[in-house]
Amino acid sequence: AVVSTQSGHYGRDTSEVLPTLARSTGVSLCSTVARIASILSPFVIILNQISGSLIYFISFACILTSMSLMKSIPETLNKQLPNSVAECEVLFHGKQKVESV
């Protein structure tokens, strides 16, 4: 029951964060990464047998990586969220893309 509940929240929350035109690609990418992580999770037992502290070092490295990546995300408080990839580029890079006719 807990897994199915978490799966429902995962799909809802992931799709709300992504822009409309990139939503299906983003959700499928997040789903693929989650499935790869669930495939690799049984190997935690093997890591614990090799070294008890190795799991903590890997977890700490993942936390530091995610914290450093979150620094590159722009602030969206009180801003209109983008609906296209071009609007995302303006939000992330701050420059208007000139389209050729």
Side-chain angles (χ1 to χ4, degrees):
V2 173
V3 173
S4 63
T5 303
Q6 291 298 329
S7 178
H9 289 296
Y10 159 76
R12 182 196 68 210
D13 294 341
T14 304
S15 65
E16 289 297 321
V17 172
L18 300 168
T20 305
L21 297 177
R23 190 166 289 157
S24 63
T25 304
V27 169
S28 63
L29 177 67
C30 291
S31 175
T32 302
V33 169
R35 289 175 190 215
I36 290 171
S38 67
I39 289 169
L40 295 176
S41 64
F43 294 105
V44 171
I45 297 170
I46 296 171
L47 285 176
N48 194 26
Q49 292 172 352
I50 295 171
S51 172
S53 60
L54 187 60
I55 297 169
Y56 297 110
F57 288 123
I58 293 173
S59 298
F60 186 68
C62 290
I63 290 169
L64 285 179
T65 303
S66 64
M67 287 173 59
S68 64
L69 289 174
M70 286 186 66
K71 287 286 195 180
S72 67
I73 298 174
E75 180 61 49
T76 58
L77 182 65
N78 298 326
K79 292 183 181 177
Q80 184 177 356
L81 296 178
N83 288 320
S84 67
V85 176
E87 291 176 1
C88 285
E89 289 176 355
V90 170
L91 180 66
F92 277 96
H93 302 295
K95 50 187 164 183
Q96 189 69 25
K97 192 173 184 181
V98 178
E99 295 183 25
S100 58
V101 179

